[in-house]
Amino acid sequence: MSGIVIVSRRDFLKAGIVLGGGLIIGVHLPGGTAAGMEPPRETFAPNAFIRIGTDDSVTVIVNKSEMGQGVYTALPMIVAEELEVDPATIRVEAAPVAPAYNHAEWGIQVTGGSSSVRSEWDRLAKAGASARMMLVAAAAEAWKVKPGQCRAEKGFVLHQASGRRLSYGKLAERAARLKPPAEVQLKSPKDYSVIGRPVRRLDTPAKVNGTALFGLDVAIPGMLTAVVARPPVFGAKAMKIHHDKAEKVPGVKRVVPIDAGVAVIAESFPAAVRGREALEIEWNEGPLAGLDSGRQREEYAEMAKRPGAVAARRGDPDTALKQAVKRIDAVYELPYLVHAPLEPLNCVARVEPDRCDIWTGTQMQTGDRNAAAKITGLPPEKITLRTLFLGGGFGRRAVPDSHFVREAVQASKAMGKPVKVVWTRDDDIHGGWYRPTFYNELAAGLDAAGMPAAWKHRIVCQSIAIGTPFEKGMVKNGVDDTSVEGAADSPYAVPNFLCDYHMAPAGVPVLWWRSVGHSATAFVKESFIDELAHLAEKDPYQYRRQLLKKHPRLVGALDLAVEKAGWGKALPEGRGRGIAVHESFGSIVAQVAEVSVGTKGEIRVHRVVCAVDCGRFVNPGIIEAQMESGIAFGLSAALHGAITFKNGRVEQSNYHDYPIIRMNEMPRVETHIVRSGEKPGGIGEPGVPPVAPAVANALFALTGARLRTLPMTQERVLAATGKA
Amino acid sequence: MIALTVNGTRHQVDVPPDTPLLWVIREVIGLTGTKFGCGMSLCGACTVHVEGRAIRSCVTPVSAVAGKEITTIEGIPESHPVKQAWIADDVPQCGWCQPGQIMAATALLATNPKPDDAAIDEAMEGILCRCGTYQRIRRAIHRAVGTPTKGGAS
């Protein structure tokens, strides 16, 4: 076993101080050691986010989980800007669980909704500026001059008149004795030297040399490894467990029933897997034993025949439809999708009589910590949760019931030893918490000028929020906002409009999946508007533009994408071009995709030109990376992704039958950022929604075949293009 | 006891002979840079070199590599052009697949010092990246060997 691995070394909370009008709990520094590293002596901790050591080290404590989206770089950059330090010199530390680290708006510690930069910008800027002012004041005090005669630059305070300078480390002890300023002065954006530049990611070197520590890499003394025999059908219960054979497998210690199923706890992962193979369980499969995707689709279609709960309505869509010059009806369908992050879910827990330690990569620390408190009976402050790097999140590690943490805590409690629970890839693909499957019925009518007079969109899908702590805030009048986002608030100028919703029966565990409802609604909205444009015999770009007159930012993104893509210019033989634009998480993304189709019906996406307006931004390099990432993620779903059920069982199990795109399928992505003074928008998710419709629209432009069902598999493409 | 050499260090490991090499590297030897992703040779996160060739350690029994020279991500020098290019192009996002990507790329360049995009695709398509860093991986491989980058799916 390797040595003790602890990323967040600071375990105890101390005093509270007031900063920027809100109460911030300061972090005390009682030693503790990271693997092979002597911690710097940090004496100046002006707030919960910054510590400065006498050795000039600057540590930024980040309250968001790094899952690839770049928060361990973007958030320290905000501090670096105001604190006047080179971001490359910053040490990053994962925040412990404490109220100081709650989401600035949502009241819990969580990473999601593409909200990190948006929610933290002001608070971190103030934290950095406040620390800088205190360092300047400390220097002024030491030199017996006025603070106004001093300035901060690259980790030093300078007194211009005398040419004296002191490093932050030299000033740390003195600054620590000062009170934080009542008011902080933030820099003017025109003076920014860090924000807005493509600063290299701070976590890259560790991720390139193999030292970056993820949850699955944690090893602590005496730790055992568990895999869980999980129900074959969602909701099934283990009635009888025959554990003799499993417990005879060399290395297996014990078989323990837990909420999630039956944990096989062993000395190693291979032994745990062998033990699970030998385990025999009789299940009561419960009400979902007959779940079948084909029948479920019929049920959804039946529900769609009746009016649903109204999400948005204006005008009189039924009358307008009757009076329309042209009418079009369509059904759009999307499957369940699994997040399938490359690092399987895992959690290490060490339950002791008077404390509980947890090591994991999670997006929702507060809920996980509270779940552990409930299981152990310990007060929350006796639970220490350390957040490690997440080998992909995409929403999968923000679970309202904290199941992967509960599994480890229950197993450790039962064994009286530290236990690491590891999910296999089968567990992950079978394990639920999917993006819901969507059934959409649409109808639209065009007026004499070819413009839409009526638009009706009925959505049938499961609610993500129902039955969770988020229900109250997210479900209103029978409508889950995450089911209709991007559809009910369509920006297109249609005078008579209805979006209504049927909440499909619960059962299959569903969850936010990168871009949540937008991952489905953008495909429907942006494909259907394309259908309308073609029905009206108009250019799909110009048609959108005309209907978006009241949305200059959407038009701006469209125009930029079109200009860079060479919209309207000739393409090589056999290629088609499609466009889509969608707003999500406060940002607007337009994409133009160029595709061809192979003889076997395989869609090749050669190029995606992407224009993004995310308002004021921190790091354009990360924006580019997130657009590339969102496009790859969206393409996997557009071309391949589907979770289906037969006899209550998930039919997929690993990357061979739930493929994600590979190197040879990755298009050339060109990202262009709109220069904007608007308020910051999200960046982790908004790249996903437009790509599926842009590709479907390109396929239509190329072949005349309209694919309204995802994924656009070879079979579906061949059937639609008449080559099957 | 099975003898194997990892990054130049000899180890004697006491495990069942069919234990996958991946778990010997991670759990017994304690080198966690080599990652677990699928357990079926489908994702490539577990890629290591055996006698210089890229293999999937999640399906390789430890007995099959007894006495052989194994290299993991920790055994690739920091100065290696591939690691340097990965940093210059800011390739990783979540980072989980990157050790496997780097091991596949270094093995490719050892046999093909100037790969074109087709050769890169062929060598790298076995390594999945859920974050979609493929464009940067391609760019970084070109950077490492000083060839120009053209682009995407052809």
PDB file of all heavy atoms in Angstrom, chain B residues 102-125:
ATOM      1  N   ILE B 102      -0.812   9.153 -22.566  1.00  0.00           N
ATOM      2  CA  ILE B 102       0.629   9.437 -22.686  1.00  0.00           C
ATOM      3  C   ILE B 102       1.408   8.143 -22.942  1.00  0.00           C
ATOM      4  O   ILE B 102       2.344   8.123 -23.759  1.00  0.00           O
ATOM      5  CB  ILE B 102       1.126  10.178 -21.422  1.00  0.00           C
ATOM      6  CG1 ILE B 102       0.532  11.597 -21.418  1.00  0.00           C
ATOM      7  CG2 ILE B 102       2.649  10.213 -21.362  1.00  0.00           C
ATOM      8  CD1 ILE B 102       0.695  12.339 -20.097  1.00  0.00           C
ATOM      9  N   MET B 103       1.006   7.058 -22.285  1.00  0.00           N
ATOM     10  CA  MET B 103       1.703   5.789 -22.515  1.00  0.00           C
ATOM     11  C   MET B 103       1.490   5.317 -23.954  1.00  0.00           C
ATOM     12  O   MET B 103       2.409   4.792 -24.585  1.00  0.00           O
ATOM     13  CB  MET B 103       1.225   4.725 -21.520  1.00  0.00           C
ATOM     14  CG  MET B 103       1.527   5.043 -20.054  1.00  0.00           C
ATOM     15  SD  MET B 103       3.225   5.568 -19.719  1.00  0.00           S
ATOM     16  CE  MET B 103       4.087   3.986 -19.853  1.00  0.00           C
ATOM     17  N   ALA B 104       0.295   5.507 -24.486  1.00  0.00           N
ATOM     18  CA  ALA B 104       0.039   5.111 -25.872  1.00  0.00           C
ATOM     19  C   ALA B 104       0.823   5.997 -26.835  1.00  0.00           C
ATOM     20  O   ALA B 104       1.389   5.516 -27.823  1.00  0.00           O
ATOM     21  CB  ALA B 104      -1.461   5.193 -26.174  1.00  0.00           C
ATOM     22  N   ALA B 105       0.882   7.290 -26.526  1.00  0.00           N
ATOM     23  CA  ALA B 105       1.588   8.228 -27.414  1.00  0.00           C
ATOM     24  C   ALA B 105       3.092   7.967 -27.401  1.00  0.00           C
ATOM     25  O   ALA B 105       3.744   7.981 -28.460  1.00  0.00           O
ATOM     26  CB  ALA B 105       1.294   9.667 -26.995  1.00  0.00           C
ATOM     27  N   THR B 106       3.657   7.716 -26.227  1.00  0.00           N
ATOM     28  CA  THR B 106       5.109   7.471 -26.162  1.00  0.00           C
ATOM     29  C   THR B 106       5.457   6.158 -26.876  1.00  0.00           C
ATOM     30  O   THR B 106       6.489   6.072 -27.543  1.00  0.00           O
ATOM     31  CB  THR B 106       5.609   7.443 -24.711  1.00  0.00           C
ATOM     32  OG1 THR B 106       4.781   6.555 -23.946  1.00  0.00           O
ATOM     33  CG2 THR B 106       5.564   8.814 -24.078  1.00  0.00           C
ATOM     34  N   ALA B 107       4.578   5.147 -26.754  1.00  0.00           N
ATOM     35  CA  ALA B 107       4.830   3.879 -27.453  1.00  0.00           C
ATOM     36  C   ALA B 107       4.747   4.084 -28.968  1.00  0.00           C
ATOM     37  O   ALA B 107       5.540   3.520 -29.725  1.00  0.00           O
ATOM     38  CB  ALA B 107       3.828   2.822 -27.008  1.00  0.00           C
ATOM     39  N   LEU B 108       3.794   4.911 -29.394  1.00  0.00           N
ATOM     40  CA  LEU B 108       3.669   5.205 -30.827  1.00  0.00           C
ATOM     41  C   LEU B 108       4.949   5.842 -31.363  1.00  0.00           C
ATOM     42  O   LEU B 108       5.504   5.419 -32.378  1.00  0.00           O
ATOM     43  CB  LEU B 108       2.471   6.143 -31.068  1.00  0.00           C
ATOM     44  CG  LEU B 108       2.407   6.837 -32.439  1.00  0.00           C
ATOM     45  CD1 LEU B 108       2.126   5.837 -33.560  1.00  0.00           C
ATOM     46  CD2 LEU B 108       1.343   7.939 -32.450  1.00  0.00           C
ATOM     47  N   LEU B 109       5.420   6.861 -30.656  1.00  0.00           N
ATOM     48  CA  LEU B 109       6.570   7.608 -31.158  1.00  0.00           C
ATOM     49  C   LEU B 109       7.849   6.773 -31.123  1.00  0.00           C
ATOM     50  O   LEU B 109       8.780   7.034 -31.895  1.00  0.00           O
ATOM     51  CB  LEU B 109       6.759   8.904 -30.358  1.00  0.00           C
ATOM     52  CG  LEU B 109       5.598   9.899 -30.452  1.00  0.00           C
ATOM     53  CD1 LEU B 109       5.972  11.226 -29.807  1.00  0.00           C
ATOM     54  CD2 LEU B 109       5.150  10.130 -31.884  1.00  0.00           C
ATOM     55  N   ALA B 110       7.875   5.774 -30.260  1.00  0.00           N
ATOM     56  CA  ALA B 110       9.061   4.918 -30.205  1.00  0.00           C
ATOM     57  C   ALA B 110       9.215   4.106 -31.489  1.00  0.00           C
ATOM     58  O   ALA B 110      10.333   3.768 -31.893  1.00  0.00           O
ATOM     59  CB  ALA B 110       8.982   3.986 -28.994  1.00  0.00           C
ATOM     60  N   THR B 111       8.085   3.809 -32.149  1.00  0.00           N
ATOM     61  CA  THR B 111       8.175   3.020 -33.385  1.00  0.00           C
ATOM     62  C   THR B 111       7.942   3.865 -34.626  1.00  0.00           C
ATOM     63  O   THR B 111       8.340   3.495 -35.716  1.00  0.00           O
ATOM     64  CB  THR B 111       7.122   1.880 -33.391  1.00  0.00           C
ATOM     65  OG1 THR B 111       5.834   2.457 -33.182  1.00  0.00           O
ATOM     66  CG2 THR B 111       7.405   0.867 -32.289  1.00  0.00           C
ATOM     67  N   ASN B 112       7.260   4.989 -34.466  1.00  0.00           N
ATOM     68  CA  ASN B 112       6.946   5.857 -35.607  1.00  0.00           C
ATOM     69  C   ASN B 112       7.246   7.298 -35.200  1.00  0.00           C
ATOM     70  O   ASN B 112       6.386   7.982 -34.655  1.00  0.00           O
ATOM     71  CB  ASN B 112       5.469   5.684 -35.991  1.00  0.00           C
ATOM     72  CG  ASN B 112       5.087   6.512 -37.211  1.00  0.00           C
ATOM     73  OD1 ASN B 112       5.880   7.336 -37.681  1.00  0.00           O
ATOM     74  ND2 ASN B 112       3.893   6.289 -37.737  1.00  0.00           N
ATOM     75  N   PRO B 113       8.463   7.746 -35.468  1.00  0.00           N
ATOM     76  CA  PRO B 113       8.873   9.066 -34.942  1.00  0.00           C
ATOM     77  C   PRO B 113       8.155  10.253 -35.577  1.00  0.00           C
ATOM     78  O   PRO B 113       8.185  11.347 -35.018  1.00  0.00           O
ATOM     79  CB  PRO B 113      10.374   9.122 -35.218  1.00  0.00           C
ATOM     80  CG  PRO B 113      10.734   7.922 -36.016  1.00  0.00           C
ATOM     81  CD  PRO B 113       9.542   7.036 -36.156  1.00  0.00           C
ATOM     82  N   LYS B 114       7.526  10.073 -36.744  1.00  0.00           N
ATOM     83  CA  LYS B 114       6.793  11.193 -37.374  1.00  0.00           C
ATOM     84  C   LYS B 114       5.410  10.731 -37.822  1.00  0.00           C
ATOM     85  O   LYS B 114       5.136  10.649 -39.029  1.00  0.00           O
ATOM     86  CB  LYS B 114       7.574  11.727 -38.598  1.00  0.00           C
ATOM     87  CG  LYS B 114       8.938  12.317 -38.292  1.00  0.00           C
ATOM     88  CD  LYS B 114       8.847  13.778 -37.923  1.00  0.00           C
ATOM     89  CE  LYS B 114      10.247  14.298 -37.522  1.00  0.00           C
ATOM     90  NZ  LYS B 114      10.206  15.628 -36.917  1.00  0.00           N
ATOM     91  N   PRO B 115       4.529  10.402 -36.900  1.00  0.00           N
ATOM     92  CA  PRO B 115       3.226   9.870 -37.314  1.00  0.00           C
ATOM     93  C   PRO B 115       2.341  10.954 -37.949  1.00  0.00           C
ATOM     94  O   PRO B 115       2.358  12.097 -37.507  1.00  0.00           O
ATOM     95  CB  PRO B 115       2.610   9.385 -35.998  1.00  0.00           C
ATOM     96  CG  PRO B 115       3.251  10.237 -34.952  1.00  0.00           C
ATOM     97  CD  PRO B 115       4.634  10.545 -35.443  1.00  0.00           C
ATOM     98  N   ASP B 116       1.604  10.582 -38.988  1.00  0.00           N
ATOM     99  CA  ASP B 116       0.594  11.499 -39.527  1.00  0.00           C
ATOM    100  C   ASP B 116      -0.718  11.280 -38.761  1.00  0.00           C
ATOM    101  O   ASP B 116      -0.786  10.430 -37.875  1.00  0.00           O
ATOM    102  CB  ASP B 116       0.421  11.314 -41.039  1.00  0.00           C
ATOM    103  CG  ASP B 116      -0.001   9.899 -41.411  1.00  0.00           C
ATOM    104  OD1 ASP B 116      -0.382   9.123 -40.502  1.00  0.00           O
ATOM    105  OD2 ASP B 116       0.049   9.567 -42.614  1.00  0.00           O
ATOM    106  N   ASP B 117      -1.748  12.048 -39.123  1.00  0.00           N
ATOM    107  CA  ASP B 117      -2.999  11.966 -38.363  1.00  0.00           C
ATOM    108  C   ASP B 117      -3.597  10.556 -38.390  1.00  0.00           C
ATOM    109  O   ASP B 117      -4.148  10.088 -37.391  1.00  0.00           O
ATOM    110  CB  ASP B 117      -4.025  12.980 -38.893  1.00  0.00           C
ATOM    111  CG  ASP B 117      -3.761  14.391 -38.352  1.00  0.00           C
ATOM    112  OD1 ASP B 117      -2.918  14.514 -37.437  1.00  0.00           O
ATOM    113  OD2 ASP B 117      -4.383  15.337 -38.849  1.00  0.00           O
ATOM    114  N   ALA B 118      -3.458   9.891 -39.530  1.00  0.00           N
ATOM    115  CA  ALA B 118      -4.031   8.543 -39.628  1.00  0.00           C
ATOM    116  C   ALA B 118      -3.313   7.592 -38.661  1.00  0.00           C
ATOM    117  O   ALA B 118      -3.946   6.777 -37.989  1.00  0.00           O
ATOM    118  CB  ALA B 118      -3.925   8.033 -41.061  1.00  0.00           C
ATOM    119  N   ALA B 119      -1.990   7.720 -38.596  1.00  0.00           N
ATOM    120  CA  ALA B 119      -1.222   6.861 -37.689  1.00  0.00           C
ATOM    121  C   ALA B 119      -1.537   7.202 -36.229  1.00  0.00           C
ATOM    122  O   ALA B 119      -1.605   6.309 -35.371  1.00  0.00           O
ATOM    123  CB  ALA B 119       0.272   7.020 -37.960  1.00  0.00           C
ATOM    124  N   ILE B 120      -1.747   8.489 -35.965  1.00  0.00           N
ATOM    125  CA  ILE B 120      -2.111   8.899 -34.602  1.00  0.00           C
ATOM    126  C   ILE B 120      -3.464   8.316 -34.234  1.00  0.00           C
ATOM    127  O   ILE B 120      -3.636   7.735 -33.162  1.00  0.00           O
ATOM    128  CB  ILE B 120      -2.112  10.444 -34.484  1.00  0.00           C
ATOM    129  CG1 ILE B 120      -0.677  10.982 -34.576  1.00  0.00           C
ATOM    130  CG2 ILE B 120      -2.774  10.875 -33.174  1.00  0.00           C
ATOM    131  CD1 ILE B 120      -0.591  12.492 -34.648  1.00  0.00           C
ATOM    132  N   ASP B 121      -4.422   8.443 -35.143  1.00  0.00           N
ATOM    133  CA  ASP B 121      -5.756   7.897 -34.864  1.00  0.00           C
ATOM    134  C   ASP B 121      -5.675   6.401 -34.571  1.00  0.00           C
ATOM    135  O   ASP B 121      -6.294   5.902 -33.639  1.00  0.00           O
ATOM    136  CB  ASP B 121      -6.694   8.127 -36.055  1.00  0.00           C
ATOM    137  CG  ASP B 121      -7.245   9.543 -36.093  1.00  0.00           C
ATOM    138  OD1 ASP B 121      -6.812  10.353 -35.247  1.00  0.00           O
ATOM    139  OD2 ASP B 121      -8.082   9.838 -36.950  1.00  0.00           O
ATOM    140  N   GLU B 122      -4.896   5.704 -35.382  1.00  0.00           N
ATOM    141  CA  GLU B 122      -4.818   4.256 -35.230  1.00  0.00           C
ATOM    142  C   GLU B 122      -4.212   3.888 -33.877  1.00  0.00           C
ATOM    143  O   GLU B 122      -4.695   2.985 -33.193  1.00  0.00           O
ATOM    144  CB  GLU B 122      -3.992   3.664 -36.371  1.00  0.00           C
ATOM    145  CG  GLU B 122      -4.169   2.166 -36.495  1.00  0.00           C
ATOM    146  CD  GLU B 122      -3.226   1.549 -37.527  1.00  0.00           C
ATOM    147  OE1 GLU B 122      -2.911   2.228 -38.527  1.00  0.00           O
ATOM    148  OE2 GLU B 122      -2.815   0.404 -37.317  1.00  0.00           O
ATOM    149  N   ALA B 123      -3.184   4.614 -33.487  1.00  0.00           N
ATOM    150  CA  ALA B 123      -2.521   4.279 -32.223  1.00  0.00           C
ATOM    151  C   ALA B 123      -3.321   4.722 -31.020  1.00  0.00           C
ATOM    152  O   ALA B 123      -3.243   4.121 -29.952  1.00  0.00           O
ATOM    153  CB  ALA B 123      -1.133   4.925 -32.192  1.00  0.00           C
ATOM    154  N   MET B 124      -4.090   5.784 -31.183  1.00  0.00           N
ATOM    155  CA  MET B 124      -4.723   6.416 -30.022  1.00  0.00           C
ATOM    156  C   MET B 124      -6.211   6.109 -29.876  1.00  0.00           C
ATOM    157  O   MET B 124      -6.809   6.432 -28.856  1.00  0.00           O
ATOM    158  CB  MET B 124      -4.541   7.943 -30.085  1.00  0.00           C
ATOM    159  CG  MET B 124      -3.101   8.424 -30.173  1.00  0.00           C
ATOM    160  SD  MET B 124      -2.073   7.911 -28.770  1.00  0.00           S
ATOM    161  CE  MET B 124      -2.827   8.824 -27.421  1.00  0.00           C
ATOM    162  N   GLU B 125      -6.828   5.507 -30.891  1.00  0.00           N
ATOM    163  CA  GLU B 125      -8.284   5.365 -30.804  1.00  0.00           C
ATOM    164  C   GLU B 125      -8.710   4.353 -29.747  1.00  0.00           C
ATOM    165  O   GLU B 125      -9.881   4.285 -29.387  1.00  0.00           O
ATOM    166  CB  GLU B 125      -8.902   5.042 -32.168  1.00  0.00           C
ATOM    167  CG  GLU B 125      -8.636   3.647 -32.666  1.00  0.00           C
ATOM    168  CD  GLU B 125      -9.246   3.402 -34.040  1.00  0.00           C
ATOM    169  OE1 GLU B 125      -9.835   4.317 -34.621  1.00  0.00           O
ATOM    170  OE2 GLU B 125      -9.094   2.272 -34.525  1.00  0.00           O
TER     171      GLU B 125
END
